[in-house]
């Protein structure tokens, strides 16, 4: 290849480092096809960080004609719940991905147990009677090597007998553990005889009371990958120190060689992505539930009106990095806007109403206007909007003494009512306190769009006919936390100290009637304001809309 052409060609392909690895593996024949897995622990609802992992795992398999398993990493019986298992499936399906197999680490408990016995027989695992404290202490520190357990050199027979006893429930929790016999002086602390099994008398959501010993993460994950013949096991950066152990088990057991690769986890400004902390927010009722629209959970953003398409666009834009990244939540909001701008239906809703009376309007007359649901498709579907002689406009669209560049309504000034006539403000009516309560205006019948000659004015404002206005509840959301980087909280502070007390503001809106008939199933645009998604709290009497994202923002992605 021409050297000068090379960078451009590479750039055009724009592969991320995982794609590079996969393409190399396919080319050299190291793997025949790509099999990935998404391995959530069912101890909480999925969040936006998981969306990144989902897009990566499913996306890579799709791109290279492979498959992705959904694997529940369910080795901790105490924190796990069937509620989470179901919610995770719902979220992945909502994202638009289909898993090849639904797997559970707990389905492999028999095989894992057999492998533990195999290690004992190979002289590579032993039962340790030390207490948790003794084991921790014996591990040493990063600077000093550990000391070997006094139980380290038990015979194979004794270890087998004791381990079977552990399984049979002969011992109390904490009395014994099974450890791998690796190297107590290894510079990698995880290689200093890691614990493989601990005793836990807890019912498991799938295996019930069959087991009272449970395998540790490190003794589970790689072997599950191997059983499922996962070729590329992708996880977050903090697992890179686990990789030698992952490889060690695969090697000494002589099983299918899955490989682990690490990428940087996603962090977002003004929010948190730890299931433990999100659970605490739910339990302490700082939010209404896992699907509170302020939550960074997938069910939360779904209820808020974010679309799977916008999340995929976001994951695409942020790419895959090997260094930890703090992403600007505004980029995510920009992605949501991009998607909704193209697809959402438009309606007019007034949120801070100011009454306008058209003094020259024929009493009792209702004129219906055919207005496109999406201005990008003027010939597409439309809705009917009624105009009468009494309207609401936004208070902010009128100023008695406006600054120079104010193009909306002012005393004596003109403005176009969106889709209809130009009106002129003739009189400002005030209450006893001097507040503006009504504008008396005239409309110019010659300015009907599509009829006669087009006269233009600088400002166009939205409006609703008061007689037709439908009152709706509007829930306006702000960031859940006030601090931009919630990963760096000072020692003397708690993350709860940064909760935004104004993250939810409930208001009222006056909507054109067609809004209540919208059947698009996605967020709609309230013209000139933002995107809003109908909430499940809506009743026949009162519709509730969640603000998805504001319409405009100065933010521009790089
Ligand atoms: P949490 O700390 O929120 O509990 P976790 O990593 O323990 O997260 P798991 O259920 O174990 O949650 O995660 C399933 C998969 O999603 C793992 O492969 C994990 O690496 C990935 N994942 C979790 N959080 C993020 C994140 N913020 N960004 C990218 N991937 C993530
Ligand atoms: Mg986890």
């Amino acid at each position: 290849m021409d050297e000068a052409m090379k960078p451009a060609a590479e750039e055009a392909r724009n592969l991320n480092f995982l794609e590079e690895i996969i393409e190399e593996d396919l080319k050299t024949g190291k793997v025949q096809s790509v099999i990935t897995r998404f391995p959530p622990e069912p101890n909480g609802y999925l969040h936006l960080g998981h969306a990144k992992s989902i897009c990566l795992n499913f996306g890579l398999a799709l791109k290279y004609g492979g498959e992705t398993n959904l694997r529940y990493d369910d080795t901790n019986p105490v924190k796990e719940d069937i509620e989470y298992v179901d919610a995770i499936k719902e979220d992945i399906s909502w994202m638009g991905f289909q898993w090849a197999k639904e797997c559970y680490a707990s389905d492999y408990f028999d095989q894992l147990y057999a492998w533990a016995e195999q290690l004992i027989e190979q002289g590579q695992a032993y039962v340790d009677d030390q207490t948790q404290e003794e084991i921790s202490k014996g591990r040493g520190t990063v600077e000093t090597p550990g000391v070997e357990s006094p139980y380290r050199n038990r015979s194979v027979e004794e270890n087998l007998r004791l381990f079977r006893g552990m399984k049979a429930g002969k011992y109390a929790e904490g009395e014994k553990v099974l450890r791998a016999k690796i190297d107590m002086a290894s510079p990698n602390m995880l290689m200093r005889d890691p614990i493989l099994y601990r005793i836990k008398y807890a019912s498991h959501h799938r295996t019930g009371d069959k087991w009272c010993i449970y395998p540790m993460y490190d003794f589970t994950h790689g072997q599950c990958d191997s059983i499922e013949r996962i070729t590329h096991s992708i996880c977050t950066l903090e697992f890179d120190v686990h990789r030698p152990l992952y490889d060690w088990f695969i090697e000494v057991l002589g099983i299918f060689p899955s490989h682990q690769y690490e990428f940087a986890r996603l962090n977002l400004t003004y929010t948190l992505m730890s299931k433990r902390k999100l659970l605490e927010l739910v339990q302490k009722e700082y939010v209404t539930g896992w699907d509170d629209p302020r939550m960074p959970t997938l069910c939360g953003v779904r209820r808020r009106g974010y679309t799977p398409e916008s999340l995929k666009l976001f994951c695409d834009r942020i790419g895959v990095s090997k260094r930890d990244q703090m992403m600007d939540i505004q980029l995510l909001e920009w992605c949501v806007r991009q998607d909704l701008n193209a697809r959402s239906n438009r309606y007019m809703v007034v949120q801070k109403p100011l009454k306008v009376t058209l003094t020259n309007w024929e009493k009792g007359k209702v004129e219906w206007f055919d207005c496109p649901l999406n201005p990008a498709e003027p010939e597409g579907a439309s809705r009917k909007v009624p105009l009468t002689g009494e309207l609401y406009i936004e208070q902010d669209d009128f100023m008695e003494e406006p600054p120079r560049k104010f193009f909306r309504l002012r005393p004596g000034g003109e403005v176009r009512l969106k889709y209809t006539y130009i009106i002129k403000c003739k009189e400002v009516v005030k209450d006893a306190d001097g507040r503006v309560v009504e504008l008396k205006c005239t409309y110019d019948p010659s300015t009907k769009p599509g009829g006669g000659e087009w006269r233009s004015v600088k400002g166009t404002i939205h409006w609703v006919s008061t007689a037709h206005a439908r009152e709706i509840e509007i829930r306006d959301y702000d960031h859940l936390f006030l601090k931009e980087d919630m990963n760096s909280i000072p020692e003397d502070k708690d993350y709860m100290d940064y909760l935004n007390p104004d993250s939810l503001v409930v208001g009222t809106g006056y909507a054109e009637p067609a809004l209540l008939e919208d059947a698009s199933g996605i967020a709609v645009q309230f013209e000139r304001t933002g995107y809003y998604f109908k909430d499940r709290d809506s009743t026949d009497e009162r519709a509730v809309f969640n603000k998805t994202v504001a319409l405009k923002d100065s933010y521009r992605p790089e």
Side-chain angles (χ1 to χ4, degrees):
M1 189 200 286
D2 180 353
E3 270 313 292
M5 290 292 293
K6 218 170 171 186
E10 266 165 23
E11 193 164 87
R13 290 183 22 86
N14 213 5
L15 297 181
N16 66 45
F17 80 93
L18 291 168
E19 291 167 335
E20 277 173 11
I21 290 169
I22 289 174
E23 296 204 356
E24 185 65 19
D25 288 350
L26 288 168
K27 201 169 81 193
T28 60
K30 185 172 164 190
V31 304
Q32 265 66 55
S33 64
V34 176
I35 305 187
T36 61
R37 88 286 172 264
F38 174 64
E41 186 180 348
N43 62 348
Y45 282 68
L46 298 183
H47 52 59
L48 292 165
H50 293 115
K52 179 173 175 188
S53 178
I54 290 171
C55 286
L56 254 186
N57 280 298
F58 284 90
L60 286 170
L62 275 173
K63 177 165 181 180
Y64 295 103
E67 292 184 339
T68 305
N69 288 349
L70 166 58
R71 159 133 39 85
Y72 289 102
D73 185 1
D74 59 347
T75 54
N76 186 352
V78 263
K79 287 192 191 157
E80 295 161 3
D81 206 297
I82 187 76
E83 173 194 348
Y84 301 134
V85 169
D86 294 340
I88 287 168
K89 279 190 265 192
E90 189 182 342
D91 287 346
I92 301 172
S93 301
W94 174 70
M95 288 283 293
F97 294 112
Q98 183 54 59
W99 50 91
K101 296 195 196 91
E102 178 182 332
C103 309
Y104 293 81
S106 57
D107 286 348
Y108 310 131
F109 279 173
D110 286 311
Q111 175 65 75
L112 291 170
Y113 178 83
W115 278 332
E117 287 208 352
Q118 180 186 335
L119 285 191
I120 293 173
E121 278 159 5
Q122 290 173 193
Q124 287 167 313
Y126 62 97
V127 173
D128 196 343
D129 296 359
Q130 293 185 102
T131 63
Q132 195 46 249
E133 293 72 52
E134 288 166 334
I135 290 175
S136 301
K137 205 154 153 264
R139 267 227 169 93
T141 65
V142 185
E143 287 84 32
T144 57
V147 291
E148 295 186 354
S149 163
Y151 304 97
R152 198 173 198 258
N153 293 312
R154 281 174 158 157
S155 68
V156 168
E157 291 67 38
E158 189 182 5
N159 279 320
L160 270 183
R161 183 174 55 77
L162 294 173
F163 186 48
R164 287 172 187 167
M166 281 169 65
K167 182 188 176 215
K170 280 196 186 160
Y171 309 109
E173 285 187 12
E175 206 177 325
K176 288 183 170 31
V177 292
L178 184 73
R179 294 178 75 179
K181 194 192 273 192
I182 308 182
D183 178 5
M184 288 307 288
S186 170
N188 183 336
M189 299 289 286
L190 293 175
M191 298 297 275
R192 295 183 186 176
D193 291 9
I195 296 173
L196 309 184
Y197 270 90
R198 73 252 194 252
I199 298 169
K200 205 171 257 182
Y201 291 95
S203 255
H204 186 278
H205 71 105
R206 283 174 67 84
T207 57
D209 294 321
K210 176 174 174 193
W211 297 89
C212 63
I213 56 171
Y214 290 94
M216 303 297 286
Y217 170 85
D218 284 313
F219 192 66
T220 308
H221 205 91
Q223 288 95 306
C224 292
D225 285 345
S226 181
I227 293 169
E228 294 170 20
R229 303 183 89 78
I230 303 300
T231 54
H232 299 82
S233 177
I234 301 159
C235 61
T236 41
L237 278 186
E238 67 273 20
F239 286 95
D240 70 339
V241 293
H242 295 251
R243 188 168 6 96
L245 195 49
Y246 181 107
D247 293 339
W248 190 83
F249 287 126
I250 284 183
E251 192 192 321
V252 298
L253 292 169
I255 55 181
F256 178 84
S258 297
H259 289 280
Q260 176 186 304
Y261 303 92
E262 306 89 23
F263 70 99
R265 60 193 300 129
L266 167 67
N267 296 299
L268 270 178
T269 55
Y270 298 106
T271 193
L272 274 175
M273 295 214 263
S274 142
K275 278 185 280 185
R276 185 180 60 76
K277 290 176 184 163
L278 296 178
L279 175 63
E280 200 179 356
L281 291 176
V282 174
Q283 285 172 337
K284 295 194 170 158
E285 299 186 3
Y286 288 106
V287 293
T288 56
W290 284 100
D291 69 348
D292 186 301
R294 290 166 291 185
M295 291 280 271
T297 49
L298 296 189
C299 54
V301 301
R302 172 162 76 233
R303 189 169 167 195
R304 175 123 173 212
Y306 287 21
T307 56
E309 289 77 6
S310 59
L311 299 189
K312 286 181 192 164
L313 177 63
F314 175 66
C315 291
D316 245 29
R317 298 278 309 208
I318 59 178
V320 194
S321 150
K322 274 207 155 257
R323 236 173 313 141
D324 270 319
Q325 39 182 189
M326 172 61 74
M327 298 309 306
D328 194 332
I329 197 154
Q330 294 187 89
L331 174 60
L332 175 58
E333 292 171 349
W334 181 85
C335 293
V336 175
R337 236 178 259 127
Q338 288 292 105
D339 182 41
L340 291 177
N341 179 45
R343 304 196 284 147
S344 77
N345 287 338
R346 271 64 168 171
Y347 299 97
M348 294 194 287
V349 178
V350 171
Q351 299 195 32
K352 280 191 287 168
L354 172 60
K355 192 168 122 182
V356 167
T357 309
L358 302 180
T359 52
N360 59 337
W361 189 264
E362 195 181 314
K363 227 180 158 54
K365 180 175 148 193
V366 183
E367 188 172 355
W368 292 86
F369 288 81
D370 221 11
C371 310
L373 278 169
N374 190 332
E377 300 164 32
E379 304 305 317
S382 63
R383 87 265 191 190
K384 292 219 178 316
V385 184
L387 177 67
T388 61
E390 195 184 291
L391 321 166
Y392 288 139
I393 66 166
E394 297 284 355
Q395 286 168 18
D396 292 348
D397 283 336
F398 171 78
M399 276 183 95
E400 214 174 355
E401 286 161 36
R404 243 164 39 91
K405 294 222 159 174
F406 187 83
F407 298 126
R408 290 160 281 166
L409 205 52
R410 67 175 77 198
E414 280 190 324
V415 77
R416 182 176 292 277
L417 295 179
K418 186 142 200 194
Y419 304 115
T420 70
Y421 304 101
I422 292 175
I423 62 169
K424 184 170 196 160
C425 178
K426 295 288 202 184
E427 189 190 335
V428 181
V429 183
K430 297 183 182 175
D431 66 7
D433 299 324
R435 269 192 305 253
V436 177
V437 290
E438 186 188 344
L439 303 178
K440 292 196 187 297
C441 302
T442 52
Y443 82 104
D444 178 350
S446 75
T447 56
K448 185 172 178 169
E453 121 200 25
W454 180 260
R455 182 156 76 79
S456 86
V457 281
K458 277 235 162 96
T460 299
I461 63 174
H462 62 280
W463 53 275
V464 287
S465 157
T466 57
H468 298 87
R470 307 282 292 270
E471 208 173 297
I472 60 169
E473 179 176 322
I474 296 179
R475 297 180 183 166
D476 196 341
Y477 300 102
D478 196 0
H479 303 314
L480 194 48
F481 293 100
L482 293 165
K483 190 170 158 47
E484 186 168 342
D485 182 356
M486 287 298 292
N487 284 350
S488 61
I489 289 176
E491 289 273 340
D492 57 333
K493 292 272 193 187
D494 186 76
Y495 73 96
M496 293 282 189
D497 297 336
Y498 296 98
L499 272 169
N500 177 3
D502 302 316
S503 56
L504 167 62
V505 177
V506 180
T508 301
Y510 301 88
E512 63 170 273
L515 170 68
L516 283 306
E517 262 71 67
D518 185 84
S520 64
I522 61 166
V524 296
Q525 186 190 104
F526 291 0
E527 300 202 58
R528 300 179 63 230
T529 315
Y531 297 96
Y532 292 79
F533 190 48
K534 194 168 182 184
D535 193 79
R536 60 171 164 74
D537 285 348
S538 298
T539 61
D540 286 345
E541 287 72 46
R542 192 172 177 82
V544 177
F545 282 83
N546 295 317
K547 182 168 183 177
T548 309
V549 66
L551 194 59
K552 282 206 196 85
D553 200 280
S554 52
Y555 179 83
R556 293 281 169 278
E558 289 144 28

